[in-house]
Amino acid sequence: MGWGVLDDKYMEYPPGTALIGDSGTVGSIGNEDQDTADTSHLKRHGDIILQPQPSADVNDPLNWSPLWKNSIMGILALSSGVTVSLAAMLAPGIQTIAKEYDVSFDMVTSMLLGLLGFWTGFTTFFTAAGASVWGKRPFFVIGTVILLATNIWGFAATSFPSLAAMRAIQGMASAPLETLVTSTVSDIFFVHQRGSRLAMWSVMLMSGALLGQIISGAIIERFGFQATFGFAAVIFALLLPAQYFLVPETAWNGPQSTLAKGSKKNSKDETKKEAETTVAIKEDEITKKDGEAGREETKKTDEEKETTVEIKEVQSNTSEVTTETKDKEVLTETKEVSSETTTTASGSEGLRPAFYDNIPANHICETYRSRIRLFRGRISNDSFWRGVIKPIPLVVYPAVIFATIVHGSFFTWLIVLGLLLNIVMQGPDYGLTPMQYGLTNLPLFFVTLLAAPLSGWAADASIKFMAKRNKGVFEPEFRLVLMLVAVPFSSIAYFAAAPAIANKVSIEVLIMLGCLQSFAVPFASQAALTYVIDCHPADANQAFVTINFLKAIMHFAATSQVSGWFERSGPYAVMYTVGVLNIVICAFTIPAYVYGKRFRSMVARSKLAAKIAANR
């Protein structure tokens, strides 16, 4: 048992458990008699073992240069932030819109805010399925084109039904940029890097929600709410070429490995089947055809080195692999970094990129023109319609359940508190204008700029610290320690908001409570999202579909009911209910942390997981 995470009696290393420390061996935690496997051949960055292990192909996104990968992440994060701002930017003008079209406050929030979120969540079923079949890049670019068009529509709209219809389509187009970015992180970054990159994404999301209100408040007051759509259209017009020319496809179906050894503990009733397979490995030269990168199938020759792999299969669908080679070397992995040059498609030689590990020089890099083409055909044999329904069963996965209720609830409470402050601050007691209300989000924005990077750093630093003191073994449950920050800050904000609103305290106090919540949300989001990615990396796309759809339903319910609920029951009933629910939901962190490893083992050994894997 490492750091309070209970071991599982069936699987020593269930999916998600990985070796990232520098112990040099993989073995049973706390069991010195357990067999160990040499890990000296595994690829590393400093003293960190790379998880997942990158392939030897230069075109593997894991092998792309840090500058290239961070540029992709930056553009997508910025695009996501602008997309999120589309909902938030109307918040300062809700009462203005209600008066102009003679509709209720709840009608504006549900049709122009909640409806957008609902259709975003619903469409993710189709975008995630399509991304698995045709890649993410087409959906990013096409989604941005539609967002540009709908903002032009919104700028020219003259009726409330037209605005509502536009927002529904805008919600559908928002799906790729709000849900596929997290799986892109899994495509191009290693486990120990994902926290900081998701923090960058979180910064942009929160900044979009807050800066969108600050900027739109001034625009609405001076030019009218329709002008906010014109401003957004200009931004998407700038983002579109950046996405097209600088964000290639990140999906990779080539070989990758994770833990060097996947040992397990057998129960007495389990029967074993042994099979011995001889695998001959040789990397043949990769040739270029029709201007696109390709590779020839490897062929067996008399000179090939053979690797004998003994595979022990058990009924629990787990395996223990031990490897021995004739020359005691692993042919496909190396620790040494060479200064070889890479041969380009044109036959010229240039300096090798500064990748983490040595990449064979005979792997030809895909040309830039080929890399940025929008349609690459099918990148997998997955069924699209099977992919559409695939996320539904994931709702029973414990990690997905936990991430859904935590991530969804924290963002729902964010909307609830924001709408209540909107009603109060623009009401007769405070009488703020749209621009003044928008400016109240400025302190929250600065808090977010502090909290989001800090949560990302903490997410990566904590797992390194804990894994180092756990014989180098990383458990996804280590991510959940971030909830120790999220719970107290959020609880104080919710319970203190009720008397603050009821007693009509100063605006500074209300802003301070909003800052407490803004500090808590990135830590909760980091804990939930990185936990799912680490537990189910192969199903990350589908898991986030489930999470975001259920979050969208929660958002729609909140935007439709919170104003009427507040008017009927007052601030104490609303905020105390939110505070109690928040504590109850966050309490699930304890069983998720303590029993998480056993939950992952249970999922891995289940028939449902086997069926999903077979259809992957």
Side-chain angles (χ1 to χ4, degrees):
M1 180 174 73
W3 290 97
V5 179
L6 296 180
D7 289 332
D8 181 66
K9 67 179 181 179
Y10 298 106
M11 299 180 72
E12 187 72 16
Y13 295 99
T17 300
L19 183 72
I20 64 172
D22 199 25
S23 63
T25 59
V26 177
S28 174
I29 301 171
N31 186 355
E32 296 180 357
D33 296 331
Q34 185 76 15
D35 292 338
T36 60
D38 181 25
T39 63
S40 60
H41 62 283
L42 295 178
K43 300 178 183 180
R44 302 168 184 254
H45 181 219
D47 61 348
I48 301 296
I49 296 175
L50 299 181
Q51 295 291 351
Q53 287 280 291
S55 70
D57 194 323
V58 70
N59 297 302
D60 184 348
L62 288 172
N63 289 324
W64 292 351
S65 70
L67 177 61
W68 186 246
K69 292 195 283 188
N70 287 326
S71 296
I72 293 171
M73 190 64 216
I75 293 170
L76 292 179
L78 178 59
S79 301
S80 295
V82 176
T83 303
V84 168
S85 73
L86 293 176
M89 72 183 185
L90 291 184
I94 291 176
Q95 298 192 31
T96 302
I97 298 172
K99 292 177 182 178
E100 182 168 335
Y101 293 111
D102 193 24
V103 293
S104 67
F105 187 95
D106 279 345
M107 178 65 73
V108 176
T109 56
S110 61
M111 292 293 101
L112 301 188
L113 303 184
L115 193 65
L116 183 145
F118 174 81
W119 282 108
T120 297
F122 179 78
T123 308
T124 54
F125 285 93
F126 301 92
T127 55
S132 298
V133 177
W134 298 289
K136 301 178 185 68
R137 175 173 162 79
F139 291 91
F140 285 140
V141 175
I142 294 173
T144 301
V145 170
I146 298 175
L147 288 173
L148 172 60
T150 53
N151 276 291
I152 296 174
W153 176 359
F155 180 72
T158 58
S159 67
F160 189 78
S162 178
L163 277 178
M166 179 274 294
R167 294 293 269 183
I169 297 175
Q170 201 166 66
M172 297 178 192
S174 300
L177 287 169
E178 288 200 29
T179 56
L180 295 181
V181 176
T182 47
S183 58
T184 301
V185 172
S186 182
D187 288 343
I188 63 180
F189 291 107
F190 300 102
V191 166
H192 70 283
Q193 300 171 326
R194 291 172 184 169
S196 59
R197 272 58 180 196
L198 284 175
M200 178 194 300
W201 180 64
S202 181
V203 166
M204 292 300 180
L205 292 183
M206 296 292 290
S207 297
L210 297 172
L211 274 180
Q213 297 183 62
I214 296 170
I215 297 172
S216 67
I219 295 174
I220 291 170
E221 187 168 320
R222 186 169 182 181
F223 303 106
F225 73 88
Q226 294 91 343
T228 60
F229 295 110
F231 186 79
V234 172
I235 298 177
F236 279 109
L238 297 174
L239 287 173
L240 183 58
Q243 285 185 19
Y244 185 85
F245 291 107
L246 298 177
V247 181
E249 180 57 56
T250 60
W252 172 254
N253 292 324
Q256 286 177 3
S257 61
T258 50
L259 202 59
K261 175 183 176 183
S263 63
K264 70 163 192 60
K265 297 177 184 177
N266 295 327
S267 64
K268 293 182 180 180
D269 296 333
E270 288 179 328
T271 60
K272 299 181 179 179
K273 295 181 181 179
E274 298 186 358
E276 191 168 283
T277 306
T278 300
V279 182
I281 303 174
K282 180 184 178 184
E283 292 186 351
D284 214 344
E285 182 177 281
I286 299 177
T287 61
K288 188 80 174 174
K289 184 177 181 181
D290 295 332
E292 298 182 1
R295 65 175 71 177
E296 295 182 352
E297 296 183 354
T298 55
K299 301 177 181 180
K300 295 183 179 180
T301 65
D302 293 334
E303 296 81 30
E304 290 175 334
K305 296 181 180 180
E306 296 183 346
T307 301
T308 302
V309 181
E310 181 182 3
I311 305 173
K312 294 182 178 181
E313 300 181 358
V314 296
Q315 292 178 343
S316 61
N317 293 326
T318 61
S319 63
E320 179 173 354
V321 181
T322 58
T323 306
E324 60 178 7
T325 61
K326 285 185 177 181
D327 55 0
K328 307 238 171 137
E329 290 182 340
V330 178
L331 300 179
T332 59
E333 296 176 332
T334 178
K335 295 186 296 178
E336 300 178 357
V337 177
S338 86
S339 59
E340 295 175 342
T341 59
T342 301
T343 304
T344 64
S346 62
S348 62
E349 293 186 349
L351 293 177
R352 290 177 60 78
F355 299 143
Y356 288 118
D357 298 274
N358 178 42
I359 297 173
N362 64 339
H363 282 246
I364 300 175
C365 184
E366 185 178 13
T367 63
Y368 172 73
R369 182 176 180 180
S370 174
R371 184 172 288 179
I372 67 167
R373 68 189 190 275
L374 187 58
F375 299 104
R376 307 173 71 92
R378 295 182 68 96
I379 64 171
S380 73
N381 292 323
D382 295 347
S383 166
F384 172 75
W385 291 109
R386 184 176 294 171
V388 170
I389 63 174
K390 182 180 177 182
I392 298 175
L394 296 183
V395 75
V396 301
Y397 282 15
V400 176
I401 295 173
F402 173 81
T404 298
I405 61 174
V406 170
H407 182 66
S409 65
F410 267 80
F411 274 89
T412 300
W413 310 149
L414 187 68
I415 290 176
V416 169
L417 185 57
L419 289 176
L420 291 186
L421 293 180
N422 185 310
I423 296 170
V424 171
M425 289 183 178
Q426 294 194 60
D429 293 331
Y430 296 92
L432 298 187
T433 66
M435 182 173 71
Q436 291 171 332
Y437 172 75
L439 289 174
T440 63
N441 289 282
L442 196 58
L444 281 64
F445 169 69
F446 287 121
V447 169
T448 298
L449 288 183
L450 169 66
L454 183 61
S455 67
W457 171 83
D460 289 338
S462 61
I463 67 164
K464 294 175 187 176
F465 176 86
M466 297 174 76
K468 186 176 181 179
R469 288 155 182 79
N470 191 40
K471 296 185 179 181
V473 177
F474 159 76
E475 305 287 2
E477 288 70 33
F478 294 168
R479 302 283 194 184
L480 302 184
V481 298
L482 297 183
M483 294 298 292
L484 294 174
V485 177
V487 176
F489 279 90
S490 61
S491 297
I492 293 172
Y494 303 143
F495 283 111
I501 294 174
N503 295 321
K504 303 175 184 178
V505 300
S506 66
I507 289 181
E508 290 79 9
V509 174
L510 296 179
I511 293 174
M512 183 187 69
L513 295 177
C515 289
L516 289 176
Q517 185 192 38
S518 295
F519 189 84
V521 170
F523 283 89
S525 180
Q526 277 285 336
L529 299 184
T530 53
Y531 183 52
V532 170
I533 290 177
D534 293 336
C535 288
H536 307 293
D539 298 315
N541 264 0
Q542 288 73 25
F544 284 111
V545 169
T546 303
I547 292 170
N548 281 284
F549 178 67
L550 295 177
K551 183 184 75 171
I553 294 176
M554 296 169 70
H555 283 192
F556 185 74
T559 56
S560 301
Q561 302 298 325
V562 67
S563 175
W565 183 20
F566 176 72
E567 291 178 359
R568 291 190 304 271
S569 305
Y572 283 100
V574 176
M575 294 314 303
Y576 280 0
T577 300
V578 169
V580 171
L581 286 175
N582 182 63
I583 291 178
V584 171
I585 289 172
C586 291
F588 284 102
T589 304
I590 298 174
Y593 181 89
V594 175
Y595 298 100
K597 191 170 185 177
R598 295 183 178 179
F599 290 151
R600 287 185 282 121
S601 171
M602 177 185 69
V603 170
R605 292 179 287 107
S606 67
K607 293 181 179 180
L608 175 61
K611 185 176 181 180
I612 291 175
N615 294 328
R616 187 176 297 147

